[in-house]
Structures are given as C-alpha cells and as structure tokens.
Amino acid sequence: MPARTLTRLSAALLVSAIPLTAAAEELVIYHGWSSPAEVGALNVIKDAFEAKGHTWIDLALPHDTGADVGLINLITGGNPPNIFVEANPGVYRDLNQMGMGQPLTEFFAGRDITDHFPAAVRQAITVDGEIMKIPTAVHIDGMVYYNKDVAEQAGVNPSSWTSLDDMFGDFDTIREAGFIPLAVGGQKWQVGYLTHTLAAALYGDALFPKIYTDQPDRDAIDSDEMRGVLAWLRRWQQASDDGMPNRDWNVTTNMVITGEALMQIHGDWMKGEWRSAGKEPGVDFGCINIPGTNGLSTTVDAFGIIGGVDDNILQAELEFAATVVDPEVSAGFAAIKGSSPVRLDVDVSELDMCSQAVMETLKQPELGFVTPHNLADADWIDAIWNVMFNYWSDEDMTADQAIGDLQNEYDAIFG
C-alpha cells in the first residue's frame, strides 16, 4: 500500500477514534464577520464552545475594511489560526498540498451527522471526495422578500404567483398604486448573482450545472435556456427604477422596508436588514421562492480546520466542529444571522417562516444547487459577470452578442 494512502488511513482512524470531549485549549478563530447580525450569530457558537471549557481567541479582519490578509498569507507568515471561515474549495486544496488540511469525513460520519445535511450542503462542503468544511449557515442566493403593507395597498398577493409571468403581470397594478414593483441594485456582482439565480429558478438541471462548473458545456452557452435567461435579465433591467445603477444591495433592501418598493429578489441575507429595522417575517414582510422555481442556488458559509497539529489541539478543533453543527447551535446561529440551519433535523417550529420555507425546499434535493463560487472556475465566473453586466448596462446589446462574448471567454479560458 502506498505511503500516502497509509498516512491518510491512519489520520482517518485517528479522527474517528477521537473522543468528543477534549481537554481545554485555546483556539484562534479567523473570520471576517463584523455586522451586528454576523457578530451576534458568531457569539452563539462562541458561547457554546467556551461552555465546554475552551478559550476562543478572535482574529477578525472585517470584510468591509479593505484589508486583504488571506489565510495562506497568515500560514506562510508563521501565524496560522486554528479555525477559519472559508468556502472556496481552492483554499482547502492548497492546505492539503501543504500538509495542513484536515478532512472531516470520518468524524461527521462516525457521529451520524453527515446524513442530516441537505444534499446541497453535502456537495458544498466536499472537496475532491472528502468533507473538508464545517457547514455553518445556508443562504439562498435569490429569494423574494416583499413588504406586506405595500402588497395590501397595491391589491396584489405575491404568494399567489406561480410564475415570473404572473409576477410581472402585476407590475402595472403596483405602479398605479404608487409603488416601485421591483427594487434592483445595479452592480456587477448583483447582476451576476441574479443571472445564476435565474438560471437555477427557470431551468434547473437543464442549464445551471452545465454552465456553473469547472468544465462548462460550451453548447449550453448558445441554448434556448441561456437565451431565456438573457430575455428575463433584460425584462428585469427594464423594470428597474432610475436609481438602480450602482445601488448597494442593502440600500435597495431599505427601499422595500420603508415602503418605496414592493419587493426585492436577492440573497436571503436581506432578512438581517429587516430584523435590524425591527420588522418581523409574516407580520411586516413575506418571503417566497421565485415563482415557479425549478431550483435554488445555495451559499453555504463554512469553517475549516488547520490540520497537522498536536492531538490535544486537534481534539479541540473537532469539538469546535461538533459544536457548530449541533442542531440547537445551528438553529440559534441562523435565527440571528438571517440564514437557515445546516441540518434537516432541527426543530423547525423555532424557525421563522422564511427559514421554514428554505428548509422545506432543501428537503427536495433536486431543487438544491451549490452557488457557483463553490464549484466553478473563478475566471469563468468573472467572465460571466462581465458579459452579463455589459448586457445589462447596454440596452442595445443583443442576446446574440452576449452569447458570442461568452463563447469567446470560454475559448480563452478553457481553450
């Protein structure tokens, strides 16, 4: 048996044999969360972890400060954390090559944890056949959040819509009542998110996994499905208000919260903005999947573990992993962050209506797709964003031109 195989087997046996109760240790936790909702949610994990006798040492570089000190920089600089927030699979591949990766496959399986993750979560946390990430939160990249008072005043019922045509068909009624039907933020990344959200919602398996992958299907670029996405993207752009260009997503959310607009379709992290404004789901706002959805793109926030450490530290790190995915901790974290739990066996009666809707959808594995950022080539994602933003920004640009530009980008990247 090759030496590498023996080493991996020995490590797997060690992990599966480690007791859940570890000696008290200090762990450095590296993350970039800084908003009130993020910090509040993080404290749910911190409190539960420290209740087991461990010490949490924060190493926080908030993502909105512009600081760019990556995990690999910390490691090569001789200051590696023990735990880090990271979803990018490339980072875990780099750690494996450095001998510092720590698979969690055996640990989770040995404690009957893995089977309680939704299929999309299991896919998101797996890198090259091994579970490498600790799933922490599930976000849907595109949901409908709407102002219930505005809906009532306009005389429309978003929960009755069964298709995007139904939704757009009510826009004139909403405008006549004095409201903007659809609040849109016109930044490149928001258009990029809307593109893959529509690809999943409109066509599911027929398009999303063919485009958003390490090896895209070139034929899918010039397909009826891709042309359908472009047609709807144009309708979205044409339905936007004059303040759309370069508007931040949270400013756009505030338009809905304050009753200027009926709804926004964006990541369900919007819920944190509603909560911060003192609004309650089911009372002040409603949340539904995109009408007629055939699939949801899911973002799975995750922690990772630095391996190659002594046994006591490894035991504490694994106890951290067990803490994060504990059903009560997962539900508590989600309630504050505005996300949904990572396990299907949580007590949904404790969740708000938005998270209940997400959990019900995640029980249908055919509807769950992993966000492109966990699967696709980074250059390819950037290329799609650039082309789609150009198409969005230039009303004279045709679908044929956009498809031609995507094909050229494909050829340049994948040759």
Side-chain angles (χ1 to χ4, degrees):
M1 185 178 293
R4 180 178 299 177
T5 302
L6 280 171
T7 300
R8 292 182 63 186
L9 178 59
S10 297
L13 290 172
L14 173 63
V15 168
S16 64
I18 285 176
L20 198 55
T21 302
E25 295 288 347
E26 291 185 347
L27 295 187
V28 176
I29 316 297
Y30 171 62
H31 65 89
W33 286 335
S34 59
S35 75
E38 291 170 338
V39 173
L42 200 61
N43 283 337
V44 172
I45 299 173
K46 180 180 179 181
D47 291 347
F49 182 62
E50 291 192 330
K52 298 177 180 179
H54 302 292
T55 300
W56 173 304
I57 300 175
D58 226 33
L59 177 56
L61 292 174
H63 51 68
D64 57 359
T65 63
D68 185 19
V69 182
L71 175 67
I72 302 303
N73 297 110
L74 289 172
I75 293 172
T76 56
N79 296 292
N82 301 106
I83 307 289
F84 55 92
V85 173
E86 182 58 69
N88 183 353
V91 170
Y92 294 90
R93 293 188 178 107
D94 289 343
L95 288 174
N96 285 339
Q97 291 178 357
M98 298 167 69
M100 301 179 73
Q102 180 55 62
L104 294 162
T105 311
E106 296 294 332
F107 181 75
F108 283 157
R111 284 157 181 80
D112 191 30
I113 294 172
T114 310
D115 289 343
H116 294 296
F117 295 146
V121 171
R122 290 197 301 271
Q123 185 180 1
I125 63 176
T126 301
V127 180
D128 301 332
E130 291 275 12
I131 292 178
M132 298 298 299
K133 311 175 196 177
I134 309 165
T136 311
V138 176
H139 280 293
I140 303 303
D141 290 350
M143 285 190 76
V144 181
Y145 273 60
Y146 65 92
N147 187 307
K148 290 180 71 69
D149 183 56
V150 171
E152 183 177 353
Q153 291 187 55
V156 298
N157 179 13
S159 64
S160 71
W161 295 331
T162 60
S163 67
L164 285 177
D165 283 318
D166 285 350
M167 185 182 85
F168 272 71
D170 274 344
F171 279 11
D172 285 343
T173 300
I174 298 163
R175 291 189 184 98
E176 288 169 3
F179 303 104
I180 296 169
L182 182 63
V184 179
Q187 297 173 319
K188 184 170 73 171
W189 78 270
Q190 292 188 64
V191 174
Y193 263 71
L194 178 58
T195 301
H196 74 246
T197 292
L198 289 174
L202 290 166
Y203 302 110
D205 268 331
L207 182 64
F208 191 96
K210 296 180 180 180
I211 294 293
Y212 295 104
T213 178
D214 276 341
Q215 293 294 324
D217 180 353
R218 193 181 190 280
D219 292 338
I221 297 173
D222 188 4
S223 64
D224 291 342
E225 291 81 7
M226 180 58 79
R227 289 178 180 276
V229 169
L230 287 164
W232 276 107
L233 202 62
R234 178 64 73 213
R235 290 185 68 177
W236 228 271
Q237 173 261 319
Q238 292 173 342
S240 62
D241 65 288
D242 292 341
M244 171 271 293
N246 204 38
R247 185 164 54 209
D248 290 338
W249 73 269
N250 55 325
V251 175
T252 307
T253 303
N254 193 58
M255 294 172 61
V256 187
I257 293 173
T258 58
E260 184 179 354
L262 170 66
M263 63 181 171
Q264 180 184 13
I265 299 180
H266 189 59
D268 66 1
W269 45 85
M270 290 184 288
K271 184 164 55 177
E273 299 295 309
W274 285 91
R275 292 282 200 188
S276 294
K279 307 297 184 180
E280 292 297 322
V283 178
D284 303 294
F285 65 96
C287 39
I288 57 174
N289 288 325
I290 291 176
T293 190
N294 290 296
L296 304 176
S297 175
T298 59
T299 291
V300 179
D301 292 333
F303 284 100
I305 289 175
I306 294 292
V309 296
D310 69 51
D311 288 352
N312 287 338
I313 293 294
L314 178 58
Q315 289 182 37
E317 290 177 341
L318 292 172
E319 192 162 66
F320 178 92
T323 301
V324 172
V325 300
D326 175 270
E328 290 188 11
V329 173
S330 183
F333 179 95
I336 296 175
K337 191 173 187 290
S339 57
S340 296
V342 299
R343 294 178 62 137
L344 293 173
D345 59 340
V346 298
D347 182 0
V348 295
S349 67
E350 299 298 318
L351 304 178
D352 63 56
M353 60 169 290
C354 298
S355 286
Q356 287 181 2
V358 172
M359 298 305 289
E360 194 61 35
T361 303
L362 290 177
K363 291 178 181 177
Q364 306 172 63
E366 71 277 7
L367 294 181
F369 295 96
V370 179
T371 187
H373 302 284
N374 285 171
L375 293 176
D377 179 270
D379 291 336
W380 177 234
I381 294 174
D382 189 55
I384 293 175
W385 281 17
N386 287 331
V387 172
M388 292 305 178
F389 188 64
N390 290 339
Y391 175 76
W392 175 277
S393 304
D394 182 1
E395 288 199 56
D396 293 329
M397 187 173 180
T398 66
D400 284 339
Q401 289 174 312
I403 286 170
D405 287 351
L406 283 174
Q407 289 172 326
N408 291 338
E409 293 287 353
Y410 175 96
D411 293 340
I413 295 169
F414 301 103

